[in-house]
Amino acid sequence: MNYKKDEVTNLLNTKCMNVFGCSIDDATEKQAYKTLCYVVKDLLAEKRSKFAKQYKEKEGKQVYYMSMEFLVGTSLRNNLYNLGMESVFKSALKQKKIDINSLYAMEPDAGLGNGGLGRLASCYMDAMTSLGMMGTGFSIRYEFGIFKQKIVDGWQMEFPDNWLEMGDVWLNRREDESFIIKFGGTLKEEWTDGKLKVTHENYQPVMAVPYDMYISGYDTDAVNKLVLWSAKSPNNLDMTAFSRGEYVRSLEENTMAEVISKILYPADDHIEGKRLRIKQQYLLVSASLQSILLKHIKKYKTLDNLPDKVAIHINDTHPALCVPELTRILIDEYGYDWDKAWDIVTRTLTYTNHTVMSEALERWPESLFSAELPRIYQIVLEINRRLVQKLNEVYPGDIAKIEYMSPVAHGEVRMANLCLAACHKVNGVSKLHSDILINSIFKDYYNIEPDKFTNVTNGIAYRRWLCQSNPELASLIKNLIGDKFVHDATALEGLLKYKGDKNVLESLQKIKLVKKQALAKYISHANGINVDPSSIFDVQIKRLHEYKRQLLNVLQILHMYNVIKDNPNADITPRTFVFAAKASAGYMMAKQIIRLISAVADLVDSDAAVRDKIKVVFIEDYKVSLAEIIIPAAEISEQISIAGKEASGTGNMKLMINGAVTLGTLDGANVEICEQVGKDNIFLFGMTAPEVEELWRKGYNPNFFVTPELKRVLDMLTSGILGTRFEDISKSLLTNSFGTADAYMTIADFESYRQAQERVGKEYLNRDKFTDMSLVNIAKAGIFSADRAVKEYADNIWNIKL
Ligand code: H53
């Protein structure tokens, strides 16, 4: 968009006058922030309207991306950058003595997600838009997003995240496009004209009200929408109850309805089989599908062509209710018979699996499911009956296999099986993960329909993670290879010709130092700790989960502590270990690990012999906007999950494109990072996924892997040297009464990790060599762009021509 400074000033003034009754010169900072957001939103609205019109004429196929999570982060800078208007706004505001950065800083993160899954959904919305695709995201307008984390005496405390106070500027409420969602109740079955008619009665109606958020893309005519549903009671106040004096009951009913969209469940990669959660899922699915179908029928007057015009994507099993709900709507509301409805359902829906962790594969008790969603339950039973009939033909008499594959068995409804039965395409999120799906957990489905399965390795919105978070690096790259990489990330490979170029390496080092200084400033402000920007910045930033093995990292730090204590002159390259991670509120072991990290930080810091060599920092409240500060400063990217458990990882990609070198296992997308950069430009350690399997098969006893160094470290957990005795952690690693100890093989991988860390310290000393590694990582990160990933979805999964 082409606007001059004066035009921008006019826009700001007019908007400020209309909304706040004053000119931008007289606005408070909060008013200035809101004015700026409203102006940007208007620009997006204008673009959106043109884009939607063009699109309507073309009648192309579009995608609806259903996800319980979108970790949007902040939007203001991203939107201005994408519109190509950052500098004109900056100077217009500067003229008014307003610093755009201070307005950026006022924006809260829209934290409508927990971690990787939600952030991926947001990165894909960005990429779809940048590619000019028509794509709509559907999710929930949680009033409270992911909790705010504070660390008090080493313990994580959770506080509500009231993001709407300043974040609602981006949302457009569309009350007139609301839908009724039916919960509970009973079913009445009647035969009329030889047809069974099912009526849903005595249900509790809840209104789903949509709020639209515009999603911008880089240098594109497209503007897409993220539609967030909010739950509302359909009767504002039950006046009869009110006049009978029953205000409390009347208000209670409203509150019961509205509580559905109150809060995001803070568990990542882990299910919480709560009644409210299934209600959230059904609200999302039912409202979105009703809206999609209504729009479709208005446009095409039929739903027969739905699969040709629409791809509906199920992001993880959380929106798996799409399967029975789409079937229900087609049959109950549009009069289709089962076979025709099922044909449309299967050709419209696609599904991405994001985890092999059994505790994350969603299952619902049949009793809860049938009570909350009686009609949906009935449909699921019918899907199950037909499937079992089919499976009996394929695997005659193999009851165990058929049971394993069934959507309903052992008193549970299993959402992954529902998706596998219905979706015409199913994908994993990295090569290794997709291989594990077809060779292991989804093997039986794969054997029947191999063409259904595919892989799309995850990708990131690299313009956010490189160009916006690290403008210094982006501008160096532009100077070296031109700006093609801003459209096409694979052009970053052009940097390879600068391998070994002293000047370029020096520039890269200077930029890294600037970003490390910025992070050091943040840490000093947030934690009151001074870290040395010339030390190695070694970061592990991700959700706290045992399989991600933050514990392995901490144990190794304790080992380094011992080495320095034994020999204060030991040859240790100074290191700053940075952690940031939220633990699910009810995940005690994860919270204990945070406490351990804090205790180790204190131990190290209180020891004069050690504190100049190593520093440990736990930065609280990890979120997208904090990641944007940490990632550009990182030099070592810790990706140390036990092989076979991290489906992909995406932080690994963001760190790599900012020049951090991966220290990791061959897990998830690390495998492909290694393929890209080669073994010389990554620090690999640990068992491979097949080795892990083999060790489980043989029988794993961690005690056989405890080296003398590790024994000393493990003893420290309970000796009292850390202030607290971490008995639970120690037991979880060592007590092997039922073969359950050390479920993530931290001990088996320790020695190999320790050696890899030693290599890191040594290789960093040769700064040019290390920076060369860093350069190769940046150059080879292009393949991990979300643009590439979304193109693959369009080609191989959604069948959308770009
Ligand atoms: O999804 C990311 C992966 C990551 C995986 C994560 C994830 C969640 O954040 C939540 C639930 C779930 O099933 C998976 O753990 O490996 O990179 C995006 O695919």
Side-chain angles (χ1 to χ4, degrees), residues 231-442:
K232 193 178 166 241
S233 170
N235 34 317
N236 265 343
L237 207 55
D238 179 348
M239 286 314 284
T240 50
F242 191 76
S243 57
R244 286 196 305 272
E246 296 177 24
Y247 348 106
V248 175
R249 188 181 66 72
S250 151
L251 283 175
E252 240 170 38
E253 272 175 19
N254 285 2
T255 315
M256 292 289 278
E258 278 153 31
V259 88
I260 296 177
S261 54
K262 216 18 124 215
I263 185 155
L264 166 84
Y265 273 93
D268 190 63
D269 245 348
H270 181 81
I271 48 165
E272 283 211 52
K274 297 276 160 48
R275 194 172 294 270
L276 187 60
R277 169 82 174 172
I278 199 171
K279 286 187 157 182
Q280 291 187 333
Q281 295 185 347
Y282 188 59
L283 184 99
L284 161 64
V285 160
S286 181
S288 310
L289 291 176
Q290 289 187 60
S291 142
I292 293 168
L293 295 199
L294 190 66
K295 236 183 229 141
H296 189 90
I297 204 120
K298 270 195 194 148
K299 187 163 172 190
Y300 296 104
K301 316 284 176 258
T302 175
L303 293 174
D304 291 357
N305 65 346
L306 190 75
D308 307 323
K309 298 292 175 193
V310 160
I312 300 178
H313 197 77
I314 301 177
N315 191 34
D316 222 14
T317 52
H318 317 148
L321 288 168
C322 277
V323 174
E325 176 66 1
L326 184 53
T327 316
R328 182 195 72 77
I329 301 179
L330 290 171
I331 293 174
D332 291 359
E333 303 192 10
Y334 290 97
Y336 280 89
D337 66 25
W338 182 279
D339 290 333
K340 188 75 189 89
W342 188 247
D343 175 62
I344 293 176
V345 168
T346 53
R347 289 192 297 124
T348 305
L349 298 180
T350 52
Y351 157 60
T352 299
N353 171 282
H354 293 265
T355 184
V356 295
M357 306 272 294
S358 58
E359 65 266 37
L361 290 177
E362 283 190 301
R363 310 151 188 271
W364 293 103
E366 269 184 88
S367 52
L368 181 126
F369 194 100
S370 59
E372 282 309 327
L373 310 171
R375 177 61 178 143
I376 292 298
Y377 176 64
Q378 204 176 43
I379 287 171
V380 168
L381 288 181
E382 183 58 14
I383 294 173
N384 192 65
R385 189 186 67 77
R386 287 170 182 250
L387 180 80
V388 168
Q389 209 169 45
K390 201 173 103 186
L391 292 177
N392 260 317
E393 285 160 23
V394 188
Y395 298 119
D398 196 341
I399 295 173
K401 188 169 284 181
I402 294 172
E403 244 177 33
Y404 178 79
M405 297 173 74
S406 300
V408 186
H410 304 295
E412 288 178 329
V413 182
R414 296 128 156 211
M415 306 315 266
N417 283 352
L418 205 52
C419 293
L420 290 169
C423 296
H424 66 280
K425 282 284 175 188
V426 172
N427 73 289
V429 290
S430 71
K431 278 186 197 163
L432 176 69
H433 169 61
S434 296
D435 283 348
I436 293 175
L437 292 183
I438 62 173
N439 294 321
S440 155
I441 59 171
F442 297 162

Side-chain angles (χ1 to χ4, degrees), residues 183-229:
F183 292 100
T186 50
L187 300 177
K188 192 170 99 194
E189 298 187 342
E190 288 163 308
W191 284 93
T192 32
D193 305 333
K195 255 183 124 180
L196 178 68
K197 188 169 180 303
V198 181
T199 318
H200 193 173
E201 295 178 326
N202 306 316
Y203 53 82
Q204 291 112 41
V206 172
M207 206 157 101
V209 184
Y211 287 71
D212 291 351
M213 185 187 231
Y214 294 122
I215 304 290
S216 57
Y218 181 70
D219 195 19
T220 168
D221 290 337
V223 171
N224 277 312
K225 286 201 305 190
L226 172 58
V227 179
L228 302 172
W229 298 103

Side-chain angles (χ1 to χ4, degrees), residues 443-455:
K443 186 171 90 195
D444 303 323
Y445 271 99
Y446 174 73
N447 285 339
I448 322 176
E449 293 176 291
D451 295 342
K452 189 182 261 200
F453 292 83
T454 186
N455 172 58

Side-chain angles (χ1 to χ4, degrees), residues 44 47-48 51 82 122-135 214-225 463 787 790:
L44 290 172
K47 263 186 100 168
R48 166 71 189 186
F51 175 61
N82 278 341
S122 279
C123 283
Y124 284 178
M125 286 308 300
D126 178 297
M128 281 180 223
T129 317
S130 299
L131 291 168
M133 265 174 84
M134 180 61 112
Y214 294 122
I215 304 290
S216 57
Y218 181 70
D219 195 19
T220 168
D221 290 337
V223 171
N224 277 312
K225 286 201 305 190
R463 284 169 291 264
D787 300 347
V790 165

Side-chain angles (χ1 to χ4, degrees), residues 65 69 113-121 124 267-270 277 315-318 352-357 360-361 428-430 433 456-459 543 545 547-548 641 645-653 667-669 793:
Y65 198 87
E69 303 191 10
N114 276 286
L117 174 97
R119 185 53 229 172
L120 186 80
Y124 284 178
D268 190 63
D269 245 348
H270 181 81
R277 169 82 174 172
N315 191 34
D316 222 14
T317 52
H318 317 148
T352 299
N353 171 282
H354 293 265
T355 184
V356 295
M357 306 272 294
L361 290 177
V429 290
S430 71
H433 169 61
V456 181
T457 298
N458 282 344
R543 285 293 289 222
H545 203 297
Y547 85 81
K548 296 182 189 276
S641 51
K645 284 282 190 263
E646 187 70 271
S648 160
T650 43
N652 45 5
M653 302 166 184
D667 197 14
Y793 275 97

